[in-house]
Amino acid sequence: SRGEYNNAINHYLLIIKFLPQYGVYYYQLAQVYALTKNYFLAKEFAAQAVKKNFPLQVIKDDSLFDPVFKKFPELNNVK
C-alpha cells in the first residue's frame, strides 16, 4: 500500500543519513521510487548509488528500472 511505500522511503532516507557511503541503500530506495512510478527520484537515487560504487549493471538488469531508463536514458552514462 501507499503507506508501506512511504514507510520504506522514510526508513531508507534515515539509513542513508547515517550510512551515506553505502550505495546499496540508494539503490534500494531507487527501487521503491520505481515501484511507486516516481521515475525522476528513482533515476536520481540510482545515479547516487552508482556514484557510491554500486554496479550500474545490477540496475540495468533490474526490470523495475526499465521505465526509468526509457524516460531518462542518460542514466546509462552515470559513473
Side-chain angles (χ1 to χ4, degrees):
S1 76
R2 173 65 68 196
E4 289 172 356
Y5 287 130
N6 287 336
N7 199 22
I9 288 166
N10 289 333
H11 281 97
Y12 281 120
L13 288 171
L14 191 63
I15 291 167
I16 286 168
K17 182 176 179 180
F18 289 103
L19 299 169
Q21 68 273 35
Y22 294 103
V24 66
Y25 299 122
Y26 295 81
Y27 166 64
Q28 290 170 336
L29 178 55
Q31 286 180 308
V32 178
Y33 282 126
L35 280 167
T36 59
K37 298 184 176 18
N38 189 332
Y39 299 136
F40 176 77
L41 286 176
K43 179 219 20 149
E44 292 294 308
F45 281 97
Q48 286 298 314
V50 173
K51 289 177 180 164
K52 303 282 183 181
N53 298 314
F54 190 82
L56 179 59
Q57 192 59 50
V58 171
I59 299 168
K60 288 182 178 183
D61 291 343
D62 185 338
S63 62
L64 279 177
F65 289 91
D66 291 350
V68 180
F69 281 103
K70 184 174 246 176
K71 193 167 176 113
F72 301 102
E74 67 271 18
L75 185 56
N76 284 293
N77 304 320
V78 173
K79 290 180 173 59

